[in-house]
Amino acid sequence: MNDMATVKQAGETATRRPRPRAGVLDIAAYVPGKSKGSHGKTVHKLSSNETPLGFSAAARAALEDVARHLELYPDGSASELRAAIGEVYGLNPERIICGAGSDEVLSMLAYAYLGPGDEAIYCEHGFLVYDIAIRAAGATPVVAPETDLTTDVDAILARVTDKTRMVFIANPNNPTGTYLPFSEVRRLHEGLPADVLLVLDAAYGEYVRRNDYESGIELAATADNVFMTRTFSKIYGLANLRLGWGFGPAHVIDALNRIRGPFNVSGVAIAAGIAAVRDREFVELSVDHNEKWLPWLTSELEALGLTVTPSVGNFVLIHFPDEDGKRAVDADGYLLERGCVLRLVGNYGLPNALRMSVGSEDANRTVVAHLKDFLGSA
């Protein structure tokens, strides 16, 4: 074969290489929060809403026990974990499904119920995984604007069409920390067609102590078109194990189990999850810590002249002045240099804000002190 023929063949091979289906390369890859400061040393990582209390001692013991049998496949249906979740929350285990983080459960919902020509709605500053899951399923995302950084029921209902198949809302919402009272969630549900699935993502639900809040268990237990998701990554401190669960109508669970991987949850995650969900003392300690430091952080940051969106989660959204040298990106660089890692949220449509997890007492006080210096308030 001559040189020209070789070049031509190489060009044809490059042209004919495998290509992702239409729409895949339009998906913006999820970018997690940074883990390290600018010098590679993590001092206070407050970028991923991780608990500062570690994880349950009971879960640790369960991990050590199951680690002796890593050659064995896990229970493919996570039956003991589903039973433990059902025991704690008063739910039928047959209507629970577990996944590698609630992210996987959200994606399974999209793959089961969405396809080309379908639409799914999520909110303006909603969790980015919704957009990824919708597009990955080949459907079209529809974004509903928020009011005061809070889910707007009327805006969602106004965007429902005959192509709408699903609505995602995070309650509380990440990254804003705002929430919908249950009366508004009910109003949203009542306004949706019966064949539209309402997905209530309650990843931060355990932290909320408001009388008008409900995670969605009641609706998911009684309605044919409501599904709730939860995670072990936040209050339970098992983020590294990737474990989440969902609860909903039997017909939805049946559909998800038909596309779920046969061993989608590892044995170590199952064992730790069983112990963690039953350790109510650890959960209450985590709630108490958050109840103390969330209002403290809000008050201290506002005293510096910063605007803080009212939050019911384990994080705060901090808005910075629109001034040279004082914007969120400037504050982020300043804090990184001092070993404090927060989260820029420009990809959520909030270019001049930082999201900060509620950390340990030392972490919280350190960040506030650095921001005081940054803003020239010392």
Side-chain angles (χ1 to χ4, degrees), residues 270-281:
I270 290 171
I274 292 168
V277 77
R278 288 176 171 156
D279 190 347
R280 307 315 294 168
E281 182 179 355

Side-chain angles (χ1 to χ4, degrees), residues 51 53-57 235-237 276 279-287:
T51 172
L53 302 187
F55 63 102
S56 162
I235 205 163
Y236 294 109
D279 190 347
R280 307 315 294 168
E281 182 179 355
F282 179 83
V283 171
E284 288 306 314
L285 284 173
S286 299
V287 171

Side-chain angles (χ1 to χ4, degrees), residues 3-59:
D3 291 344
M4 289 300 293
T6 302
V7 170
K8 181 180 179 183
Q9 185 181 53
E12 290 176 349
T13 301
T15 302
R16 296 182 62 186
R17 67 186 180 186
R19 296 175 180 273
R21 63 168 173 73
V24 170
L25 297 183
D26 296 327
I27 299 172
Y30 184 84
V31 179
K34 295 184 289 290
S35 296
K36 300 181 182 296
S38 59
H39 299 298
K41 179 182 179 182
T42 298
V43 178
H44 295 301
K45 181 179 179 243
L46 304 167
S47 57
S48 299
N49 299 342
E50 297 149 335
T51 172
L53 302 187
F55 63 102
S56 162

Side-chain angles (χ1 to χ4, degrees), residues 336-348:
L336 283 174
E337 286 290 331
R338 289 152 183 81
C340 296
V341 187
L342 276 62
R343 178 75 179 266
L344 284 164
V345 285
N347 54 344
Y348 281 95

Side-chain angles (χ1 to χ4, degrees), residues 158-183:
R159 282 156 180 79
V160 174
T161 71
D162 59 2
K163 295 180 179 180
T164 306
R165 298 290 176 267
M166 192 173 295
V167 173
F168 292 92
I169 66 167
N171 199 28
N173 188 52
N174 169 32
T176 62
T178 55
Y179 78 105
L180 275 187
F182 194 56
S183 59

Side-chain angles (χ1 to χ4, degrees), residues 223-267:
D224 279 339
N225 64 333
V226 179
F227 195 90
M228 179 199 68
T229 62
R230 304 292 277 263
T231 184
F232 280 85
S233 296
K234 304 306 177 185
I235 205 163
Y236 294 109
L238 299 181
N240 205 315
L241 293 183
R242 308 308 304 124
L243 183 61
W245 60 281
F247 172 71
H251 65 90
V252 176
I253 296 295
D254 177 59
L256 299 187
N257 275 324
R258 293 170 185 269
I259 62 172
R260 176 180 59 81
F263 301 103
N264 65 318
V265 179
S266 72

